[in-house]
Amino acid sequence: MKPPWDGGDLVEETIRTHRGVADAIAARNPTAAHDAMYLHLVYNRNMIAEGAEAKGI
């Protein structure tokens, strides 16, 4: 199984989470925008940590 940071899964997740942020901003919902951005950052932090662990860093 390929790790999520190595292929289309990360791209798809990035697009999905950025769309959530943009949709919340368009809806003038700052709480939803904050939450969507927070989830995006948490997901990316986890992917970076998993990638570093897989590489023994």
Side-chain angles (χ1 to χ4, degrees):
M1 185 167 129
K2 198 162 43 164
W5 63 86
D6 186 19
D9 291 345
L10 181 58
V11 172
E12 290 175 21
E13 180 65 18
T14 299
I15 291 169
R16 187 184 69 74
T17 56
H18 279 97
R19 185 172 289 126
V21 173
D23 289 348
I25 292 170
R28 297 181 184 265
N29 186 337
T31 302
H34 174 272
D35 291 349
M37 190 63 193
Y38 180 82
L39 290 174
H40 169 63
L41 294 173
V42 168
Y43 180 84
N44 284 335
R45 181 180 60 204
N46 289 339
M47 290 302 100
I48 291 166
E50 287 180 25
E53 184 178 323
K55 292 179 180 182
I57 300 173

